[in-house]
C-alpha cells in the first residue's frame, strides 16, 4: 500500500512542482525526485540512503538492485532491456512475430553501495557498477565496472580509482575512517 501511495505522491508532486521527497517502501531516508520515471517498479530493490535526482528514466523490469548510499544525479537512463539491435534486424517481422525478438537484450543491473552515477549517463542491460565506483558524466556503462573504479567515456573505461581520492580525504578527516571502513571494507 505504501509503495502505491508513494507512486501517487510522486505523480501529484510532478504536477505541483519538482521538490525532492523523502521515504520509499523500506527506505525512509532515500530520496527520489518526482520527475524521475521508474518503470517496472516490481523489479526494483532499493536500499536506504539513496538519492535519485531529477529527470531520470529507470527501467527495473528485468531486475535492478540499488544498494545503500547510491547517488544517481540527473538526466540518466538505466535500462534493463533494449531493442536497439532487435528492431533493425527484425524489421517489420518484429511486429508480426511477437515475443522476444532476435537481438533483444535483457539483463539485471546492480549499482554497488555508495557508487555515483554522473549526469547524462546511460547504464545498459546486464551491467554492474561496483561499490564506491564513479560513473562520470556523459558515460555509457556496458558490462562490469569493478569496485572503486572511476569510469568515463562511451563505452566507459576505467580511468582511475576512488580509493586514491578517498585516502586524501581520510588524511584530512581521520575521524571518518571507521565509517568508511564499515561499508567499504577498506582501511585507509
Amino acid at each position: 500500500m505504501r509503495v502505491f501511495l508513494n507512486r501517487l505522491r510522486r505523480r501529484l508532486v510532478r504536477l505541483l512542482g519538482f521538490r525532492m521527497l523523502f521515504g520509499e517502501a523500506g527506505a525512509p531516508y532515500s530520496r527520489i525526485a518526482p520527475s524521475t520515471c521508474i518503470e517496472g517498479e516490481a523489479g526494483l530493490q532499493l536500499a536506504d540512503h539513496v538519492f535519485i535526482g531529477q529527470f531520470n528514466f529507470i527501467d527495473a523490469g528485468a531486475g535492478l538492485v540499488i544498494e545503500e548510499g547510491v547517488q544517481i544525479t540527473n538526466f540518466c537512463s538505466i535500462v534493463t532491456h533494449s531493442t536497439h539491435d532487435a528492431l533493425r534486424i527484425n524489421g517489420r517481422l518484429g511486429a508480426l512475430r511477437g515475443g522476444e525478438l532476435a537481438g533483444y537484450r535483457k539483463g539485471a543491473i546492480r549499482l554497488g553501495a555508495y557508487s555515483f552515477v554522473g549526469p547524462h549517463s546511460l547504464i545498459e542491460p546486464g551491467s554492474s557498477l561496483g561499490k564506491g565506483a564513479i560513473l562520470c558524466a556523459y558515460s555509457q556503462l556496458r558490462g562490469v565496472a569493478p569496485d572503486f573504479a572511476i569510469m568515463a567515456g562511451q563505452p566507459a573505461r576505467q580511468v582511475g580509482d576512488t580509493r586514491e581520492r578517498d585516502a586524501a580525504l581520510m588524511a584530512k578527516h581521520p575521524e571518518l575512517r571507521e565509517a568508511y571502513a564499515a561499508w567499504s571494507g577498506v582501511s585507509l
Side-chain angles (χ1 to χ4, degrees), residues 61-141:
L64 172 59
V65 175
I66 301 177
E67 294 180 0
E68 181 180 17
V70 169
Q71 294 180 48
I72 301 169
T73 58
N74 304 306
F75 300 100
C76 299
S77 293
I78 300 172
V79 294
T80 61
H81 76 280
S82 178
T83 59
H84 70 277
D85 289 330
L87 290 175
R88 268 190 333 282
I89 65 171
N90 289 282
R92 291 184 182 152
L93 287 177
L96 302 173
R97 274 190 193 150
E100 248 180 59
L101 303 172
Y104 179 78
R105 293 181 47 206
K106 180 178 179 180
I109 293 174
R110 183 182 80 63
L111 304 178
Y114 296 94
S115 60
F116 178 87
V117 180
H120 300 277
S121 294
L122 167 64
I123 300 177
E124 294 187 8
S127 295
S128 179
L129 184 62
K131 72 179 178 182
I134 294 174
L135 182 62
C136 295
Y138 295 96
S139 293
Q140 178 180 0
L141 181 61

Side-chain angles (χ1 to χ4, degrees), residues 44-65:
L44 176 62
Q45 293 178 37
L46 181 69
D48 211 355
H49 303 283
V50 169
F51 171 86
I52 302 175
Q54 301 285 357
F55 305 107
N56 295 298
F57 176 77
I58 298 175
D59 160 29
L64 172 59
V65 175

